[in-house]
Amino acid sequence: MIFLKSLLLQIAPLQSHSLRLQSHSLLRLPLHQSSTALLSTMAPIPGNPTWHQTMLRVSDPEASVTFYKDKMGMTLLDKIAFPQYSFDLYFLTTLPDGETYSLEVGSPEAHRYLWGYPGTTLELTHNYGDNSYHPGNGEGDGFGHVAFHVDDVYGKTDELVGGGVDFKKKPDEGNMKGLAFAFDPDNYWVELVKRSEGHKLASKSNFSQTMLRIKDPSKSIPFYESLGMTMLLEKHFPQWKFSLYFLGCLDEEGGEVYPGDEAGDDEKSLFVNSRHRPVLELTHNHGTEDDEALSNGNEEGKKGFGHIGFLVDDVEKACDALEGLGHGFKKRPGDGNMKGLAFATDPDGYWVEIIKRGGYDADATPFYFEEK
């Protein structure tokens, strides 16, 4: 078994959750101390939910799209313009190895591809006007960062620095070596994570994480399991009073095979840091269960990160199932003028969009307007 030399583990308090540990001794709590050991796996809600998007608000779409395309190797799949509401949406992804993309951005063909896409996109939302956004990682913030796997963190850092990118932390800075956090054009933190040795990915980099802080894993983990995610890896650090939980949607059609719950941490870590699709990294600081609510990124003065989103076959049935599990909603599918999509709230108040796979019309539009 190849030992994962580059597992980066979070050890910082709420206001500076960027520090991570490269450990040759992967720690795991005894069974009775592990939060998830007490949980039964939650069955997914109806409609084959798959993680489709992480949304960030951006002030300059040209600068942000260029950064994620040219610097991080993503492909722009589609742009959806809403001039009547003064905003546009841009969807980028790391294409699977061997795939090329030739559809015209903004075309009906691109819309259909996007709303049937089985992987995860980065959705950049541009609200018209002069806006600036909160990148997270302040006191009480929930959102932490997005991340990309790369073969060589040091080499990628040099490349980005040479291209004019600023860094929160370079790999040789601080006590924790080998990890880095770049700033994107809106100062969101972009972590560079070393891939596992022996991986089979051909791309130079791939979108690999979205990190959210949580207060109670016994509530958050079943919620995301109900949305089709699998607990891939958990790490517990009682000496630093935090735990990390990595969840993802398995690419079963692509032949991805999870090692299984009985596999050791080394094998699970190797799997997580060798896969093409991203993971949702949930960071739990022990003892915060009764603290004030974390910022979900949608409050005035804190707007930046917006939501994550899932595709489902039937939005109404999916929402009924979530409601039956006791979860609330910011918007139900029949609310407002834009019908057919919903925003649930997870146990920490993060917005979770529920979107119809394939949409409601020939252009795969995932919403419809109320008839007047």
Side-chain angles (χ1 to χ4, degrees), residues 207-295:
F207 181 34
S208 63
Q209 292 178 9
T210 296
M211 190 278 266
L212 300 176
R213 299 176 180 92
I214 61 171
K215 291 171 59 179
D216 189 344
S218 69
K219 296 177 181 178
S220 297
I221 291 166
F223 175 85
Y224 287 105
E225 287 179 333
S226 77
L227 287 167
M229 297 190 121
T230 297
M231 172 64 70
L232 303 177
L233 175 68
E234 59 181 275
K235 297 296 177 185
H236 304 279
F237 298 88
Q239 69 274 46
W240 293 300
K241 298 182 180 179
F242 78 95
S243 296
L244 303 175
Y245 303 89
F246 299 88
L247 297 96
C249 290
L250 295 173
D251 181 14
E252 295 177 347
E253 291 187 4
E256 187 176 42
V257 179
Y258 175 57
D261 292 338
E262 301 307 314
D265 280 351
D266 290 2
E267 188 174 358
K268 291 178 181 178
S269 298
L270 182 68
F271 174 80
V272 166
N273 284 347
S274 297
R275 69 193 307 257
H276 168 76
R277 290 189 178 183
V279 296
L280 181 63
E281 177 188 356
L282 302 180
T283 297
H284 173 230
N285 294 284
H286 302 169
T288 61
E289 292 82 0
D290 297 323
D291 287 358
E292 292 184 7
L294 294 162
S295 167

XYZ file of all heavy atoms in Angstrom, residues 207-295:
718
model
N -10.169 20.429 -9.957
C -10.992 20.977 -8.883
C -11.243 19.860 -7.878
O -11.829 18.836 -8.214
C -12.286 21.490 -9.494
C -13.265 22.122 -8.538
C -12.837 22.851 -7.439
C -14.629 22.016 -8.761
C -13.738 23.449 -6.577
C -15.555 22.611 -7.906
C -15.107 23.321 -6.813
N -10.813 20.051 -6.615
C -10.774 18.901 -5.719
C -11.497 19.072 -4.384
O -11.782 18.072 -3.730
C -9.321 18.510 -5.421
O -8.639 19.553 -4.751
N -11.806 20.299 -3.957
C -12.447 20.458 -2.640
C -13.269 21.736 -2.579
O -12.940 22.743 -3.201
C -11.408 20.595 -1.515
C -10.580 19.404 -1.185
C -9.570 19.731 -0.088
O -9.617 20.799 0.529
N -8.645 18.826 0.153
N -14.309 21.676 -1.766
C -14.943 22.853 -1.194
C -14.982 22.627 0.309
O -15.450 21.582 0.764
C -16.369 23.058 -1.735
O -16.323 23.313 -3.134
C -17.068 24.215 -1.030
N -14.474 23.576 1.085
C -14.424 23.397 2.535
C -15.440 24.296 3.233
O -15.499 25.495 2.998
C -13.028 23.694 3.070
C -12.845 23.280 4.551
S -13.467 24.488 5.767
C -11.976 25.422 6.112
N -16.245 23.668 4.099
C -17.203 24.373 4.941
C -16.987 23.960 6.389
O -16.775 22.778 6.684
C -18.643 24.021 4.541
C -19.083 24.334 3.111
C -20.497 23.834 2.878
C -18.995 25.830 2.828
N -17.078 24.918 7.291
C -17.025 24.601 8.712
C -18.415 24.212 9.194
O -19.416 24.776 8.744
C -16.504 25.800 9.502
C -15.096 26.212 9.091
C -14.614 27.463 9.801
N -13.270 27.817 9.366
C -12.982 28.642 8.361
N -13.976 29.226 7.697
N -11.738 28.892 8.031
N -18.475 23.272 10.093
C -19.753 22.805 10.635
C -19.675 22.776 12.155
O -18.588 22.729 12.742
C -20.125 21.404 10.101
C -19.067 20.371 10.512
C -20.291 21.445 8.577
C -19.459 18.930 10.218
N -20.847 22.784 12.791
C -20.897 22.770 14.250
C -21.158 21.396 14.831
O -20.743 21.101 15.954
C -21.985 23.740 14.720
C -21.648 25.206 14.463
C -22.820 26.113 14.741
C -23.275 25.983 16.186
N -24.411 26.873 16.481
N -21.852 20.533 14.095
C -22.235 19.232 14.653
C -22.253 18.187 13.549
O -23.202 18.095 12.773
C -23.615 19.326 15.304
C -23.966 18.070 16.096
O -23.292 17.036 15.900
O -24.921 18.127 16.888
N -21.189 17.364 13.448
C -21.147 16.358 12.375
C -22.266 15.334 12.462
O -22.652 14.769 11.439
C -19.777 15.703 12.554
C -19.349 16.043 13.930
C -19.971 17.351 14.263
N -22.807 15.109 13.655
C -23.888 14.124 13.771
C -25.152 14.586 13.056
O -26.044 13.787 12.782
C -24.193 13.842 15.246
O -24.791 14.964 15.869
N -25.228 15.880 12.728
C -26.344 16.413 11.951
C -25.952 16.640 10.484
O -26.725 16.332 9.578
C -26.825 17.731 12.563
C -27.388 17.595 13.969
C -27.783 18.959 14.538
C -28.326 18.828 15.953
N -28.660 20.169 16.539
N -24.758 17.185 10.263
C -24.359 17.551 8.905
C -24.088 16.337 8.026
O -24.459 16.325 6.842
C -23.104 18.435 8.952
O -23.372 19.648 9.621
N -23.452 15.324 8.570
C -23.085 14.181 7.740
C -24.314 13.441 7.213
O -24.394 13.156 6.012
C -22.129 13.250 8.512
C -20.780 13.954 8.681
C -21.947 11.914 7.787
C -19.862 13.315 9.676
N -25.314 13.122 8.041
C -26.505 12.484 7.473
C -27.210 13.345 6.430
O -27.767 12.821 5.462
C -27.398 12.251 8.697
C -26.465 12.197 9.851
C -25.381 13.167 9.515
N -27.191 14.677 6.614
C -27.814 15.550 5.623
C -27.168 15.346 4.263
O -27.861 15.156 3.244
C -27.688 17.015 6.058
C -28.206 17.987 5.033
C -29.554 18.310 4.981
C -27.351 18.572 4.113
C -30.040 19.197 4.026
C -27.826 19.473 3.161
C -29.182 19.777 3.119
N -25.848 15.375 4.199
C -25.179 15.250 2.906
C -25.196 13.822 2.382
O -25.189 13.609 1.158
C -23.769 15.830 2.987
C -23.825 17.347 3.046
C -23.588 18.041 4.228
C -24.194 18.081 1.917
C -23.695 19.422 4.283
C -24.301 19.462 1.962
C -24.066 20.125 3.146
O -24.193 21.493 3.195
N -25.250 12.844 3.260
C -25.472 11.476 2.795
C -26.837 11.342 2.129
O -26.990 10.611 1.139
C -25.338 10.493 3.953
C -23.907 10.286 4.420
C -23.804 9.316 5.581
O -24.788 9.187 6.353
O -22.743 8.695 5.733
N -27.826 12.056 2.637
C -29.160 11.994 2.031
C -29.161 12.612 0.640
O -30.063 12.343 -0.161
C -30.194 12.697 2.921
O -30.108 14.108 2.823
N -28.140 13.414 0.325
C -28.006 14.002 -1.000
C -27.050 13.200 -1.882
O -26.490 13.724 -2.849
C -27.535 15.451 -0.875
C -28.623 16.407 -0.355
C -28.023 17.744 0.054
C -29.709 16.619 -1.404
N -26.881 11.942 -1.570
C -26.133 11.032 -2.427
C -24.644 11.001 -2.197
O -23.912 10.364 -2.960
N -24.157 11.658 -1.135
C -22.722 11.663 -0.879
C -22.336 10.472 -0.001
O -23.133 9.966 0.788
C -22.293 12.966 -0.224
C -22.527 14.193 -1.092
S -21.753 15.689 -0.426
C -20.680 16.120 -1.800
N -21.088 10.062 -0.161
C -20.507 8.964 0.611
C -19.391 9.518 1.489
O -18.578 10.330 1.032
C -19.928 7.889 -0.333
O -20.979 7.335 -1.117
C -19.241 6.776 0.451
N -19.353 9.082 2.744
C -18.243 9.431 3.611
C -17.005 8.677 3.122
O -16.923 7.450 3.213
C -18.547 9.057 5.058
C -17.355 9.206 5.991
S -16.799 10.898 6.155
C -18.172 11.568 7.075
N -16.033 9.407 2.582
C -14.851 8.794 1.997
C -13.692 8.699 2.972
O -12.888 7.774 2.892
C -14.410 9.582 0.762
C -15.456 9.753 -0.344
C -14.895 10.607 -1.473
C -15.933 8.404 -0.865
N -13.605 9.665 3.880
C -12.456 9.720 4.780
C -12.793 10.634 5.940
O -13.434 11.663 5.759
C -11.238 10.275 4.020
C -9.954 10.522 4.803
C -9.340 9.210 5.258
C -8.958 11.314 3.942
N -12.385 10.260 7.139
C -12.503 11.145 8.300
C -11.207 11.114 9.083
O -10.550 10.079 9.192
C -13.687 10.758 9.183
C -13.654 9.338 9.728
C -14.882 9.033 10.567
O -14.857 9.355 11.764
O -15.831 8.463 10.027
N -10.829 12.270 9.600
C -9.615 12.396 10.394
C -9.931 13.167 11.656
O -10.615 14.193 11.613
C -8.527 13.143 9.614
C -8.074 12.427 8.346
C -7.406 11.111 8.666
C -7.023 10.383 7.385
N -6.480 9.043 7.693
N -9.418 12.696 12.794
C -9.703 13.306 14.092
C -8.400 13.698 14.768
O -7.459 12.916 14.816
C -10.479 12.325 14.979
C -11.735 11.831 14.340
N -12.900 12.553 14.335
C -11.994 10.682 13.656
C -13.834 11.875 13.691
N -13.309 10.745 13.266
N -8.351 14.917 15.294
C -7.162 15.448 15.922
C -7.518 15.997 17.301
O -7.675 17.210 17.498
C -6.542 16.528 15.023
C -6.122 15.986 13.696
C -7.022 15.957 12.645
C -4.869 15.444 13.518
C -6.660 15.419 11.433
C -4.498 14.898 12.304
C -5.403 14.886 11.258
N -7.667 15.097 18.286
C -8.078 15.551 19.617
C -7.076 16.499 20.251
O -7.451 17.365 21.041
C -8.195 14.238 20.402
C -7.365 13.244 19.642
C -7.468 13.637 18.211
N -5.793 16.373 19.885
C -4.795 17.268 20.479
C -4.977 18.705 20.002
O -4.557 19.648 20.684
C -3.371 16.760 20.182
C -2.919 16.858 18.723
C -3.325 15.673 17.876
O -4.462 15.227 17.924
N -2.382 15.179 17.082
N -5.600 18.884 18.832
C -5.880 20.222 18.314
C -7.380 20.522 18.301
O -7.810 21.566 17.820
C -5.288 20.401 16.921
C -3.787 20.381 16.937
C -2.960 21.225 17.614
C -2.940 19.456 16.251
N -1.649 20.893 17.396
C -1.599 19.805 16.561
C -3.176 18.362 15.419
C -0.504 19.105 16.048
C -2.087 17.670 14.911
C -0.779 18.037 15.236
N -8.161 19.582 18.773
C -9.599 19.762 18.973
C -10.353 20.084 17.674
O -11.167 21.004 17.608
C -9.866 20.851 20.025
C -9.300 20.495 21.398
C -9.612 21.566 22.431
C -9.038 21.167 23.791
N -9.298 22.199 24.821
N -10.075 19.299 16.639
C -10.856 19.434 15.421
C -10.881 18.102 14.689
O -10.053 17.213 14.927
C -10.309 20.542 14.508
C -9.084 20.158 13.723
C -9.187 19.690 12.422
C -7.836 20.272 14.286
C -8.062 19.326 11.708
C -6.700 19.908 13.589
C -6.812 19.436 12.285
N -11.875 17.961 13.799
C -12.014 16.778 12.953
C -12.339 17.217 11.538
O -12.938 18.277 11.319
C -13.135 15.859 13.465
O -12.844 15.345 14.743
N -11.947 16.388 10.573
C -12.223 16.631 9.165
C -13.014 15.457 8.607
O -12.699 14.300 8.885
C -10.924 16.773 8.365
C -9.944 17.852 8.806
C -8.668 17.775 7.971
C -10.570 19.221 8.697
N -14.013 15.771 7.795
C -14.845 14.760 7.153
C -14.887 15.074 5.660
O -15.242 16.185 5.260
C -16.254 14.773 7.737
C -16.287 14.574 9.235
C -16.202 15.666 10.098
C -16.371 13.299 9.788
C -16.212 15.487 11.474
C -16.376 13.110 11.157
C -16.295 14.213 11.996
O -16.298 14.032 13.363
N -14.523 14.086 4.851
C -14.472 14.262 3.404
C -15.560 13.404 2.767
O -15.524 12.165 2.864
C -13.103 13.846 2.862
C -11.956 14.648 3.415
C -11.334 14.265 4.595
C -11.501 15.779 2.757
C -10.272 14.997 5.108
C -10.437 16.514 3.267
C -9.823 16.126 4.444
N -16.511 14.069 2.101
C -17.613 13.369 1.449
C -17.583 13.656 -0.046
O -17.160 14.724 -0.486
C -18.959 13.818 2.022
C -19.220 13.524 3.492
C -18.886 14.744 4.335
C -20.666 13.111 3.731
N -18.071 12.699 -0.835
C -18.115 12.901 -2.276
C -19.163 12.026 -2.926
O -19.621 11.039 -2.345
N -19.548 12.420 -4.131
C -20.441 11.597 -4.953
C -19.576 10.699 -5.822
O -18.740 11.192 -6.594
C -21.338 12.479 -5.822
S -22.592 13.391 -4.902
N -19.743 9.410 -5.704
C -18.924 8.458 -6.443
C -19.317 8.429 -7.916
O -20.503 8.490 -8.260
C -19.055 7.060 -5.843
C -18.510 6.896 -4.422
C -18.850 5.515 -3.884
C -17.007 7.135 -4.382
N -18.324 8.322 -8.775
C -18.547 8.217 -10.214
C -18.651 6.739 -10.578
O -17.742 6.156 -11.169
C -17.401 8.894 -10.962
C -17.581 8.857 -12.470
O -18.711 8.539 -12.928
O -16.609 9.141 -13.189
N -19.778 6.147 -10.239
C -19.936 4.713 -10.467
C -19.995 4.389 -11.950
O -19.480 3.353 -12.389
C -21.190 4.220 -9.747
C -21.069 4.336 -8.220
C -22.326 3.932 -7.495
O -23.368 3.791 -8.164
O -22.262 3.766 -6.255
N -20.618 5.263 -12.753
C -20.663 5.025 -14.195
C -19.271 5.073 -14.804
O -19.007 4.414 -15.814
C -21.575 6.053 -14.873
C -23.052 5.872 -14.547
C -23.933 6.785 -15.374
O -23.385 7.502 -16.249
O -25.158 6.780 -15.158
N -18.392 5.880 -14.218
C -17.017 5.959 -14.695
C -16.116 4.892 -14.115
O -14.901 4.905 -14.359
N -16.678 3.980 -13.333
C -15.909 2.870 -12.790
C -15.189 3.169 -11.493
O -14.339 2.375 -11.061
N -15.520 4.275 -10.838
C -14.863 4.606 -9.580
C -15.348 3.660 -8.483
O -16.558 3.491 -8.284
C -15.156 6.053 -9.188
C -14.365 6.520 -7.980
C -14.597 7.987 -7.668
O -15.753 8.444 -7.745
O -13.613 8.675 -7.343
N -14.417 3.058 -7.775
C -14.743 2.085 -6.733
C -14.122 2.545 -5.420
O -12.896 2.664 -5.298
C -14.227 0.675 -7.089
C -14.571 -0.307 -5.965
C -14.813 0.201 -8.409
N -14.977 2.826 -4.446
C -14.511 3.242 -3.123
C -13.908 2.037 -2.399
O -14.453 0.924 -2.461
C -15.692 3.812 -2.342
C -15.390 4.182 -0.921
C -14.380 5.096 -0.621
C -16.120 3.636 0.134
C -14.108 5.452 0.679
C -15.854 3.995 1.450
C -14.840 4.893 1.713
O -14.568 5.248 3.010
N -12.773 2.222 -1.692
C -12.141 1.086 -1.014
C -13.024 0.404 0.021
O -12.814 -0.777 0.335
C -10.914 1.716 -0.351
C -10.650 2.961 -1.089
C -11.983 3.446 -1.562
N -14.002 1.142 0.591
C -14.890 0.540 1.574
C -14.601 1.031 2.973
O -13.488 1.465 3.296
N -15.626 0.946 3.827
C -15.503 1.447 5.193
C -14.433 0.726 5.995
O -13.864 1.291 6.934
C -16.849 1.325 5.917
C -17.894 2.270 5.342
O -17.499 3.265 4.717
O -19.102 1.998 5.517
N -14.162 -0.519 5.643
C -13.188 -1.300 6.413
C -11.755 -1.026 5.998
O -10.826 -1.502 6.655
C -13.501 -2.794 6.271
C -14.897 -3.198 6.746
C -15.167 -2.734 8.166
O -14.276 -2.921 9.026
O -16.249 -2.174 8.419
N -11.556 -0.289 4.912
C -10.200 0.035 4.479
C -9.520 0.940 5.497
O -10.174 1.677 6.242
C -10.235 0.715 3.111
N -8.206 0.899 5.524
C -7.456 1.748 6.443
C -7.392 3.184 5.966
O -7.713 3.499 4.811
N -6.952 4.078 6.851
C -6.877 5.492 6.513
C -5.919 5.763 5.356
O -6.173 6.644 4.526
C -6.449 6.307 7.730
C -7.601 6.561 8.691
O -8.740 6.257 8.334
O -7.344 7.060 9.807
N -4.812 5.032 5.296
C -3.864 5.241 4.203
C -4.525 4.971 2.858
O -4.367 5.732 1.904
C -2.652 4.325 4.367
C -1.756 4.722 5.530
O -2.098 5.694 6.239
O -0.727 4.053 5.727
N -5.257 3.883 2.775
C -5.906 3.511 1.521
C -7.006 4.506 1.155
O -7.162 4.882 -0.012
C -6.479 2.099 1.627
C -7.001 1.555 0.310
C -7.442 0.105 0.397
O -7.309 -0.504 1.486
O -7.936 -0.416 -0.625
N -7.773 4.950 2.142
C -8.822 5.945 1.871
C -8.213 7.273 1.444
O -8.727 7.941 0.542
C -9.687 6.135 3.122
C -10.559 4.940 3.467
C -11.349 5.209 4.743
C -12.216 4.021 5.122
N -12.956 4.254 6.379
N -7.116 7.668 2.082
C -6.452 8.912 1.718
C -5.909 8.845 0.295
O -6.001 9.812 -0.478
C -5.306 9.205 2.691
O -5.785 9.381 4.004
N -5.325 7.723 -0.047
C -4.836 7.510 -1.404
C -5.971 7.664 -2.407
O -5.818 8.303 -3.452
C -4.212 6.120 -1.513
C -3.609 5.730 -2.859
C -2.371 6.564 -3.156
C -3.263 4.242 -2.878
N -7.122 7.112 -2.083
C -8.293 7.208 -2.955
C -8.744 8.651 -3.122
O -8.954 9.135 -4.242
C -9.421 6.351 -2.373
C -10.728 6.471 -3.112
C -10.946 5.771 -4.281
C -11.740 7.293 -2.635
C -12.148 5.872 -4.976
C -12.946 7.414 -3.311
C -13.142 6.704 -4.486
N -8.890 9.375 -2.004
C -9.401 10.747 -2.050
C -8.477 11.650 -2.856
O -8.947 12.486 -3.644
C -9.589 11.294 -0.617
C -9.789 12.803 -0.620
C -10.772 10.609 0.058
N -7.180 11.491 -2.692
C -6.229 12.392 -3.348
C -5.764 11.881 -4.704
O -4.803 12.415 -5.277
C -5.031 12.654 -2.438
C -5.381 13.630 -1.335
O -6.421 14.288 -1.378
N -4.527 13.729 -0.340
N -6.468 10.866 -5.221
C -6.205 10.387 -6.577
C -7.412 10.543 -7.483
O -7.315 10.291 -8.680
C -5.825 8.887 -6.553
O -4.643 8.665 -5.845
N -8.553 10.972 -6.937
C -9.782 10.984 -7.731
C -9.925 12.270 -8.521
O -9.393 13.315 -8.149
C -11.002 10.723 -6.828
C -11.353 11.809 -5.866
C -12.359 11.337 -4.794
N -13.545 10.719 -5.354
C -14.731 11.319 -5.457
N -14.887 12.574 -5.052
N -15.771 10.685 -5.969
N -10.694 12.183 -9.597
C -10.935 13.349 -10.444
C -11.960 14.285 -9.834
O -11.813 15.519 -9.899
C -11.416 12.888 -11.823
C -11.956 13.993 -12.668
N -11.141 14.910 -13.297
C -13.233 14.357 -12.969
C -11.887 15.776 -13.962
N -13.152 15.473 -13.772
N -13.011 13.745 -9.249
C -14.094 14.574 -8.726
C -13.744 15.163 -7.363
O -12.970 14.584 -6.603
C -15.375 13.753 -8.618
C -15.972 13.390 -9.960
C -17.344 12.772 -9.790
N -17.950 12.452 -11.075
C -19.179 11.951 -11.215
N -19.910 11.697 -10.139
N -19.667 11.697 -12.410
N -14.339 16.306 -7.032
C -14.014 16.954 -5.758
C -14.719 16.314 -4.572
O -15.677 15.554 -4.721
C -14.507 18.397 -5.964
C -15.625 18.270 -6.937
C -15.239 17.143 -7.862
N -14.222 16.657 -3.396
C -14.858 16.268 -2.145
C -15.377 17.516 -1.444
O -14.873 18.624 -1.648
C -13.894 15.512 -1.203
C -13.457 14.203 -1.824
C -12.690 16.374 -0.838
N -16.394 17.314 -0.627
C -16.876 18.339 0.295
C -16.174 18.091 1.616
O -16.367 17.045 2.238
C -18.391 18.244 0.449
C -19.049 19.273 1.376
C -18.859 20.688 0.845
C -20.535 18.959 1.551
N -15.329 19.028 2.018
C -14.571 18.901 3.256
C -15.317 19.647 4.359
O -15.459 20.874 4.304
C -13.164 19.472 3.093
C -12.342 19.448 4.372
C -11.025 20.184 4.246
O -10.698 20.660 3.142
O -10.330 20.292 5.272
N -15.791 18.914 5.347
C -16.492 19.497 6.482
C -15.536 19.534 7.669
O -15.022 18.500 8.094
C -17.741 18.685 6.828
C -18.770 18.526 5.708
C -19.947 17.697 6.186
C -19.247 19.882 5.180
N -15.303 20.733 8.189
C -14.371 20.927 9.299
C -15.157 21.201 10.575
O -15.925 22.159 10.644
C -13.426 22.104 9.004
O -12.637 21.794 7.862
C -12.505 22.375 10.182
N -14.945 20.359 11.585
C -15.645 20.504 12.865
C -14.646 20.849 13.953
O -13.722 20.075 14.248
C -16.373 19.211 13.230
C -16.971 19.246 14.602
N -16.779 18.235 15.533
C -17.740 20.191 15.225
C -17.412 18.542 16.647
N -17.998 19.716 16.491
N -14.806 22.015 14.550
C -14.025 22.399 15.716
C -14.750 21.911 16.960
O -15.882 22.322 17.229
C -13.851 23.921 15.747
C -13.013 24.410 14.601
O -11.803 24.274 14.602
N -13.666 24.979 13.587
N -14.124 21.031 17.701
C -14.762 20.405 18.844
C -15.221 21.446 19.858
O -14.511 22.406 20.150
C -13.797 19.423 19.517
C -13.300 18.349 18.601
N -12.260 17.507 18.936
C -13.696 17.963 17.353
C -12.035 16.652 17.948
N -12.897 16.926 16.976
N -16.414 21.255 20.363
C -16.938 22.142 21.387
C -17.697 23.341 20.868
O -18.109 24.198 21.657
N -17.897 23.408 19.542
C -18.593 24.570 18.961
C -20.076 24.301 18.736
O -20.765 25.150 18.169
C -17.956 24.973 17.618
O -18.063 23.866 16.693
C -16.494 25.344 17.807
N -20.572 23.156 19.202
C -21.956 22.774 18.900
C -22.969 23.817 19.364
O -24.010 24.002 18.728
C -22.267 21.412 19.544
C -21.531 20.235 18.932
C -20.118 20.084 19.459
O -19.686 20.901 20.311
O -19.424 19.157 19.023
N -22.690 24.482 20.473
C -23.644 25.449 21.028
C -23.247 26.897 20.770
O -23.856 27.815 21.322
C -23.803 25.218 22.542
C -24.386 23.850 22.850
O -25.256 23.400 22.091
O -23.958 23.239 23.851
N -22.232 27.106 19.911
C -21.820 28.471 19.587
C -22.855 29.142 18.686
O -23.767 28.507 18.154
C -20.466 28.460 18.874
C -19.318 28.137 19.814
O -19.578 27.951 21.021
O -18.172 28.038 19.332
N -22.666 30.435 18.486
C -23.532 31.162 17.564
C -23.403 30.582 16.161
O -22.388 29.985 15.799
C -23.161 32.646 17.551
C -23.468 33.376 18.848
C -23.166 34.859 18.743
O -22.856 35.310 17.619
O -23.248 35.550 19.770
N -24.455 30.775 15.360
C -24.473 30.222 14.004
C -23.316 30.775 13.180
O -22.924 31.935 13.307
C -25.801 30.551 13.328
N -22.758 29.923 12.325
C -21.735 30.346 11.394
C -22.362 31.175 10.273
O -23.512 30.960 9.886
C -21.046 29.121 10.788
C -20.232 28.257 11.747
C -19.973 26.889 11.142
C -18.916 28.945 12.084
N -21.592 32.108 9.719
C -22.059 32.847 8.556
C -22.150 31.907 7.364
O -21.217 31.141 7.082
C -21.093 33.987 8.222
O -21.353 34.519 6.945
